Amino acid sequence: MTEASLELCLVLLMLVPLAIAGLSLVNAGLGRSHSSAHAMLSSLCVVSIAAIFYLFGGSWLMGYADEPGYGLTIARHGWNWFGAENFLLHHLDAGHAQSALTGALELFAVAMAALIPLSAGADRWRLGASCLSTALLASLLYPLFGHWVWGGGWLAQMGIQHGMGRGFLDMSGAGTVQAVGGISALVVTWLLGPRRNKYLKSGLATAIPAHNIVIVLFGCALMLPGWMALNAAGAMVFYQAPMSLIPVIAVNTLLCAAGSLLAALGLTRWRFGKPDASLCANGWVGGLVASSAAAAWISPYSALLTGLVAGVLIVYTVEFLELKFFVDDPAGAVSVHAVAGLWGLLSAGLFMRDGVAGQMLAQVVGVSTLLGCVLPLTYLVNWCAQRVYRYRIDDDGERLGIDLHELGAGAYPEFVVHGDDFIPR
Amino acid sequence: MRVAGLLLMVSGWVIVLAAVALLPSATARGAFIMCGVGVEMLGLILCLRHSIREEGRRG
């Protein structure tokens, strides 16, 4: 990378926390008021835990793309499975600017991945348990898949080793960050079960609306510059994209989010008579997620189409998961991050400009790895963790509200406390 | 049922890996990769259906 590129990447890196802050606001706003302080504190805690555990525990597994790793040879092809770095994230010094930038971006990325499952466990996931799950995500799950994609691992090498396009491509974390986080969110909902009184005995779902949609929508707005920066930084750091591509990346990110939002808005207006603000917010975030796969390599029209499809997918999967499969996901994290992330990865294969033969198949292999390896591993790891430290708060705590139960104080002490509006009659 | 679904998903992934490693022909490789993905989808559906049964038991 040139000196100018490094300087630009540094500036972009400083903007990435805006995306993290926006996601925290969305998570807090989509939950209930008696869990909002816990939601925001959990966000700060998991970001801290993720950074520390990645630094000390995960960075060795991630490795760097131009450094050797642990692998084996199968059918005369090399398969690089694990990174082989030292335990501490070295190269964080002035002499290794590019490696330092890579390490720093990966730190922010793991912090974002750790935030995603928090919203799925809103109102019932204990703070300590979320920190434990984050530690495992940051030290094992994220760096394992991250090495395969960004650290010179077998997924990235499929182009060279097996003639499959340019190998699996994931520009700034649609799979490595978003889908991994979304998969973790799904596992968390399975392990925790639904919120109290979410599902009636008849099987109908109670609507538990967001307590502050203004915070949610503000978070969405805040995410846009952060996500543009994340996408641009990822393209430059992991794939050596030239600076001239930055405007294209920014435009594609915005178009993808816009397309997804408008699709969600139109669809909810058509189906329910009025647009649903929280589903529209989900659509916006889902569009940003989908753009993370290939904003640098697709045309603006393809970006818009990717966003439109993402918006439709999100609206329908939120409904299916909640109503048909009893997955209680307060913020739609599974649909927004996992489903939209996987769609983004597939759309990269479909719409890539100057595509190479076999690229779509490489993307499918990556998606298959997320579903067939990362999901079962995430479930196993969290299932074992739950045996050691209980994940869910008790019934009394849930009735009282997790803010009061875990923190001893609510987020809005001057508000009038109402009775529980969701007791079935 | 959930464990069975997860194991099915791992099996599907192993089919995909085997297709990538062992099949040189692009057509055959593509077909087997899609079969592996299909097996993973079956496993995912099984996992999701477990939630339906759990909710029925809870209700």
Side-chain angles (χ1 to χ4, degrees), chain A residues 73-243:
Chain A
T73 303
I74 301 174
R76 289 178 305 199
H77 294 294
W79 292 68
N80 186 337
W81 287 98
F82 306 111
E85 288 299 311
N86 296 330
F87 267 107
L88 289 180
L89 189 67
H90 65 134
H91 290 176
L92 275 179
D93 53 51
H96 301 90
Q98 181 155 356
S99 302
L101 260 178
T102 308
L105 185 59
E106 287 163 359
L107 261 176
F108 286 126
V110 73
M112 182 175 280
L115 272 180
I116 296 165
L118 267 189
S119 62
D123 298 339
R124 61 215 193 278
W125 201 14
R126 296 169 69 198
L127 179 60
S130 62
C131 292
L132 175 60
S133 179
T134 298
L136 295 167
L137 177 88
S139 50
L140 176 62
L141 301 165
Y142 164 83
L144 182 66
F145 189 75
H147 174 73
W148 295 346
V149 179
W150 290 334
W154 67 274
L155 275 173
Q157 297 293 317
M158 276 195 302
I160 298 168
Q161 297 287 346
H162 307 286
M164 292 170 70
R166 297 191 185 101
F168 177 70
L169 295 173
D170 182 8
M171 188 188 72
S172 48
T176 323
V177 177
Q178 309 299 328
V180 167
I183 282 167
S184 195
L186 179 61
V187 165
V188 164
T189 60
W190 282 343
L191 291 173
L192 289 173
R195 287 169 287 179
R196 192 175 142 265
N197 295 330
K198 173 64 185 175
Y199 295 104
L200 306 176
K201 283 192 170 68
S202 58
L204 291 174
T206 314
I208 303 179
H211 88 276
N212 193 331
I213 199 67
V214 173
I215 284 180
V216 173
L217 296 169
F218 176 63
C220 291
L222 205 61
M223 270 198 240
L224 180 62
W227 222 282
M228 286 178 177
L230 177 68
N231 283 353
M236 292 177 74
V237 168
F238 297 124
Y239 294 99
Q240 288 75 51
M243 284 203 294

Side-chain angles (χ1 to χ4, degrees), chain A residues 10-24:
Chain A
L10 189 59
V11 172
L12 293 170
L13 210 59
M14 297 300 117
L15 291 174
V16 170
L18 285 175
I20 295 173
L23 191 56
S24 306

Side-chain angles (χ1 to χ4, degrees), chain A residues 16 29 38 58 107 147 170 187 191 202 268 272 286 292 361 380 396-397 411 413 418:
Chain A
V16 170
H38 186 269
L107 261 176
H147 174 73
D170 182 8
V187 165
L191 291 173
S202 58
T268 52
F272 310 130
S292 290
L361 214 50
L380 176 65
D396 287 337
H418 295 279

